[in-house]
Amino acid sequence: DGGITQSPKYLFRKEGQNVTLSCEQNLNHDAMYWYRQDPGQGLRLIYYSQIVNDFQKGDIAEGYSVSREKKESFPLTVTSAQKNPTAFYLCASKPIFSRSMDGYTFGSGTRLTVV
Amino acid sequence: DQQVKQNSPSLSVQEGRISILNCDYTNSMFDYFLWYKKYPAEGPTFLISISSIKDKNEDGRFTVFLNKSAKHLSLHIVPSQPGDSAVYFCAASGGAGGTSYGKLTFGQGTILTVHP
């Protein structure tokens, strides 16, 4: 079955450490996205990529970095510069030329906790 | 600047009755709106969408209404079932990023509880 796989589901990090969240999709989607969810807030866009080797900052990119070396993969690194990294992180993808947003597919998320 | 707002953090309804979830937006460039359902520690799942050229879209028990002049949309669930209990997010696309870029702007979410 096609879908998006995020791993791990739960992740603990010590303050001052970088950590990388994995996102893999086998939907042949061109565009991929990273969102962050905090309690009582909607999802906020961190980074997005429409094509391999290209990505753009979203609304809250500070303290994060990404890479897009393969179409299937869009890992997110939470760096020590991110002041409040504890959150639920969601990866998504969609076909780039789809005018409809109905093809937007989300992964099951990674809960990151800084200890 | 919260461009998409869901002002009701929670809603409680009886099984079989109608659930109405509301959403307001400020950006007049938004041209596509979606509703997602989300359970804790899971990703959102798509429910229903509406383009700005329509004012209503229906899919089974779910209907979305769009009032462009008021910049308001609502999701009606009839009849409500206990399995509908979840967090519901409205989202919008368009604006500076454009629908083709796939940037979604989300509301804060509304927790729906349907009592048996």
Side-chain angles (χ1 to χ4, degrees), chain B residues 3 30-31 52 92:
Chain B
Q3 296 187 68
F30 287 144
D31 57 9
S52 60

Side-chain angles (χ1 to χ4, degrees), chain A residues 9-10 31 33 35 37 40-43 45 48 50 57-59 88 90 94 96 98-102 104 106-109 111, chain B residues 2 31-32 34 36 38-46 48-49 87 89 93 97 99-109:
Chain A
K9 193 163 182 67
Y10 299 95
Y33 308 84
Y35 287 90
Q37 185 191 9
Q41 296 195 38
L43 283 66
L45 183 65
Y48 66 102
Q50 295 186 281
K57 291 182 179 180
D59 300 319
F88 188 58
L90 284 157
K94 88 167 188 72
I96 192 170
S98 167
R99 287 192 58 79
S100 163
M101 299 294 280
D102 298 357
Y104 225 95
F106 283 90
S108 57
R111 168 74 62 186
Chain B
Q2 189 79 26
D31 57 9
Y32 205 84
L34 306 91
Y36 286 90
K38 185 181 181 300
Y39 295 111
E42 292 186 13
T45 54
F46 170 74
I48 192 168
S49 63
V87 180
F89 288 97
S93 72
T99 299
S100 61
Y101 288 94
K103 291 177 64 176
L104 288 176
T105 302
F106 285 83
Q108 308 96 309

